[in-house]
Amino acid sequence: MSRVKRVAVTSPQTRLAHSRRRSRGRWRVPRLAVNDAERADRLYRAQRRRGLPALAGMFGLVFGLPLVFGLFPGLDSVRLLDIPLSWLMIAVLPYPAMALLSWWQLRRAEKIEDD
């Protein structure tokens, strides 16, 4: 068996990216002034507190659908456009509801920042 030297093969873009990263030095997290850090901490806590209802709504939606199907097994027999209603509820309902919840939460978080 002949011994072939192994060679690492990389694209020129990869080599460029590695060389750029090394030449810049270490990246450091920028430090905030004391007043700005306290304000950022207050905003973070307020937004997290106001985000709990949106998070609860999302969990209620995702985990509530199986409960609805368990309580109302007749939803499998109801058809809309020849598709069982339970399938439509799983495939169609959660995504617009989650998008609405995220939009609502974003507006609430922005309002906190504006105040």
Side-chain angles (χ1 to χ4, degrees), residues 56-105:
M58 188 204 56
F59 276 112
L61 175 71
V62 170
F63 294 118
L65 279 175
L67 292 175
V68 169
F69 298 145
L71 292 173
F72 303 105
L75 290 175
D76 279 338
S77 61
V78 177
R79 295 187 172 272
L80 184 65
L81 301 173
D82 206 31
I83 301 171
L85 185 61
S86 59
W87 287 24
L88 287 173
M89 288 174 68
I90 290 174
V92 178
L93 178 67
Y95 303 107
M98 282 190 248
L100 185 64
L101 275 171
S102 64
W103 175 81
W104 177 63
Q105 172 55 29

Side-chain angles (χ1 to χ4, degrees), residues 6-66:
R6 291 181 173 237
V7 178
V9 179
T10 60
S11 73
Q13 291 85 5
T14 304
R15 277 187 247 132
L16 277 172
H18 284 288
S19 67
R20 284 185 191 144
R21 184 173 36 209
R22 282 189 219 113
S23 66
R24 284 191 289 147
R26 290 187 55 180
W27 180 79
R28 292 194 173 114
V29 177
R31 299 286 178 202
L32 293 175
V34 175
N35 292 339
D36 291 337
E38 289 172 358
R39 182 175 181 268
D41 191 43
R42 280 195 314 270
L43 282 173
Y44 174 71
R45 288 183 182 166
Q47 288 175 348
R48 201 171 59 181
R49 194 170 39 252
R50 294 211 50 199
L52 289 176
L55 186 65
M58 188 204 56
F59 276 112
L61 175 71
V62 170
F63 294 118
L65 279 175

